[in-house]
Amino acid sequence: MNSLLPRPVHIAVVVSDGAQLSVLRYPARNGPAPAVVILTPYRKEAAWFNYHHVAIERGYEGPLSEREVEDGVELLEWVAAQDFCTEAAELPVALLM
């Protein structure tokens, strides 16, 4: 793991269909901050920023199922409502894989 990143906090977020999303939260160093949410249908520990950029630059897409998209929307709403977030949560479309 990159030593510049804070130690992640493991969180379980339950969505409307009862599924439990496994989340890694990397706390901001200086209190509440805007949040960037990255979704992956694979193991969260295996997702890293450079992979997404390289895959998209090479013409790949990362389609998610309709339920995964709904889970992503619910997760964004959950993040925006948390004390650690300044109510600005973003899901970069280029990173939706």
Side-chain angles (χ1 to χ4, degrees):
M1 180 181 297
N2 185 333
S3 62
L4 298 178
L5 293 175
R7 179 176 292 268
V9 177
H10 295 263
I11 302 172
V13 177
V14 178
V15 291
S16 63
D17 69 348
Q20 182 174 299
L21 304 182
S22 181
V23 174
L24 287 178
R25 174 183 166 236
Y26 291 87
R29 295 190 189 282
N30 298 315
V36 174
V37 177
I38 299 173
L39 297 177
T40 179
Y42 307 107
R43 293 181 54 231
K44 64 186 177 305
E45 295 85 359
W48 67 94
F49 296 101
N50 290 337
Y51 167 78
H52 295 72
H53 292 290
V54 169
I56 291 167
E57 287 171 2
R58 293 182 180 175
Y60 292 96
E61 292 188 25
L64 299 175
S65 71
E66 185 175 332
R67 183 62 238 182
E68 288 169 322
V69 172
E70 290 172 18
D71 288 349
V73 170
E74 291 181 34
L75 180 61
L76 281 171
E77 293 171 347
W78 180 87
V79 168
Q82 301 307 300
D83 292 340
F84 60 76
C85 183
T86 60
E87 296 185 21
E90 182 176 331
L91 178 65
V93 176
L95 297 179
L96 183 62
M97 292 189 67

